[in-house]
Amino acid sequence: VATLLAVAGSFVLARWKGLDGTTTAMLVVNSLGLLFNIGGTPTAVLRLFERFRLFSIQKTIAAVIRLLGVLVALYYGAGLWGFLVVALVATTAGRLLLIYNAWQTLRSRGLTGVLRARATRMGEVLRFAVWTNLITTVSLPVKHLDMAIVGALISLESVGVYKLIKQIALVMTMVSDSVYQVIYPRLAALLAKEELEGALQHARRAGALLLAFTSCAAVTVALFGPLSISFLFGAEYARDPLSLDAYMFLRAISCAFVVVHPLFLALGFVRQELGILIVSNLLYLGAAYLLGSWLGLIGIVLAYGVQFSTVLIPKCLIIRSTLLKRRAAAGAAAATVPGA
């Protein structure tokens, strides 16, 4: 269905924008990659059995294929078609390898019959999938609209500076995202066993390690970032060290508390997550417009701080309330046991 929609959308976009036949054909071919975009179930299998090393292998192989293909296309002057085919082949190979790794993981545990098993409780699964996809959609403004806001309110030159700042912070984001992928299935398993204290202990430890790493990264950038950026990219990219330092500081805090998000989802607060994100993103758009117009680039950075704090604080309060209620329930249950 997604492939058919993408192909149809390619023709609609081509007619709307007046694209030529070659560009339209590229859009259609690129849409065919969706046929192999089956990553949800294989990813879940590998996470469930904690085969995270296979993720690294799969991503490395896909990246090597892409790099070698780009070099070959560049050497032979293959043009845009060549780079498109390389990207499509590398992406497809990576996804097929992911499926193969998941299948081998199931096979090694004698669970290949799971594909023939009858699906149960599909209503709950579909509802969870719908809510989580809505959450992903609602998260788009912060991920993609910030560049457009910077360009509209400040200048196109500031877009380049802001993009570079975000690229530097990717070091922290990549580490925190990896921790998210690792800790989520563990938290879900612990909470399924009603081991809330164990889940909280795992989250605290992971958060402490992330805070140590992100703090070091932020301090390093603050000390050496402006000089390094000026040397590597030019003085024009190092003209706003305040925005760089502020963004790295806020990003360090955001990444350190990333463990709150999988814990919140594992507790089953999917609808609350969507509501919190809608409110926080609306606040972000308003804050970005007001602060960006008033303070420039540093205003956009502060608006990011508003966004993640209005997500983090409500989640922490809800988790704390849940913990207190469960402790009280456990205490009441223990008090009714004879001899307790």
Side-chain angles (χ1 to χ4, degrees):
V1 175
T3 304
L4 292 175
L5 289 174
V7 171
S10 299
F11 289 106
V12 173
L13 180 63
R15 177 171 294 184
W16 177 37
K17 292 294 185 179
L19 302 178
D20 57 31
T22 301
T23 306
T24 304
M26 289 182 179
L27 289 173
V28 172
V29 171
N30 190 56
S31 300
L32 297 178
L34 292 173
L35 290 170
F36 301 94
N37 193 18
I38 310 173
T41 300
T43 299
V45 169
L46 296 180
R47 287 183 188 173
L48 183 63
F49 295 104
E50 300 187 1
R51 300 301 304 274
F52 301 107
R53 183 176 63 88
L54 295 179
F55 282 118
S56 301
I57 295 173
Q58 178 256 335
K59 290 182 179 180
T60 301
I61 292 176
V64 169
I65 293 174
R66 185 185 298 269
L67 177 60
L68 293 177
V70 166
L71 292 175
V72 171
L74 186 63
Y75 179 79
Y76 286 103
L80 191 56
W81 267 112
F83 292 108
L84 175 63
V85 172
V86 166
L88 191 60
V89 169
T91 302
T92 302
R95 289 168 181 166
L96 290 176
L97 181 59
L98 183 66
I99 296 172
Y100 173 78
N101 287 338
W103 172 255
Q104 287 296 105
T105 300
L106 291 173
R107 184 180 179 184
S108 65
R109 288 165 173 77
L111 297 174
T112 53
V114 70
L115 298 178
R116 297 185 296 273
R118 183 178 179 181
T120 59
R121 302 173 66 181
M122 285 302 296
E124 296 180 16
V125 175
L126 288 175
R127 283 194 296 271
F128 184 82
V130 169
W131 284 110
T132 51
N133 276 280
L134 287 174
I135 289 170
T136 302
T137 303
V138 170
S139 301
L140 292 177
V142 179
K143 293 181 178 179
H144 301 290
L145 287 183
D146 52 355
M147 296 292 182
I149 294 173
V150 172
L153 295 180
I154 308 172
S155 66
L156 294 178
E157 292 78 9
S158 296
V159 173
V161 174
Y162 187 61
K163 185 173 183 179
L164 179 60
I165 291 174
K166 292 185 68 175
Q167 290 292 324
I168 295 172
L170 271 179
V171 176
M172 292 187 289
T173 305
M174 291 172 66
V175 174
S176 64
D177 286 350
S178 298
V179 172
Y180 185 110
Q181 305 298 334
V182 171
I183 201 172
Y184 178 66
R186 294 186 179 183
L187 294 178
L190 288 170
L191 290 172
K193 301 175 184 177
E194 297 295 329
E195 297 181 13
L196 180 58
E197 295 293 342
L200 288 173
Q201 188 175 20
H202 273 74
R204 290 192 188 104
R205 288 178 179 175
L209 291 173
L210 279 173
L211 182 60
F213 170 76
T214 57
S215 298
C216 291
V219 170
T220 302
V221 172
L223 292 175
F224 305 106
L227 288 176
S228 301
I229 291 172
S230 180
F231 176 75
L232 294 172
F233 303 100
E236 63 274 13
Y237 286 95
R239 65 185 182 185
D240 198 347
L242 179 60
S243 296
L244 172 65
D245 294 343
Y247 188 86
M248 292 298 293
F249 172 75
L250 293 173
R251 195 64 180 169
I253 297 175
S254 175
C255 290
F257 283 91
V258 75
V259 293
V260 172
H261 308 310
L263 179 60
F264 194 76
L265 277 179
L267 283 168
F269 297 121
V270 186
R271 296 185 182 184
Q272 292 87 337
E273 170 105 8
L274 180 63
I276 289 171
L277 283 176
I278 290 174
V279 173
S280 67
N281 284 342
L282 290 174
L283 290 173
Y284 167 75
L285 292 174
Y289 179 79
L290 294 175
L291 295 176
S293 301
W294 180 33
L295 300 174
L297 189 57
I298 186 64
I300 303 296
V301 173
L302 294 177
Y304 165 70
V306 171
Q307 190 275 335
F308 89 75
S309 61
T310 52
V311 170
L312 190 63
I313 292 172
K315 286 185 177 182
C316 289
L317 292 176
I318 293 173
I319 291 173
R320 182 177 181 274
S321 175
T322 302
L323 175 61
L324 292 176
K325 288 179 181 178
R326 293 198 180 187
R327 283 175 176 171
T336 59
V337 177

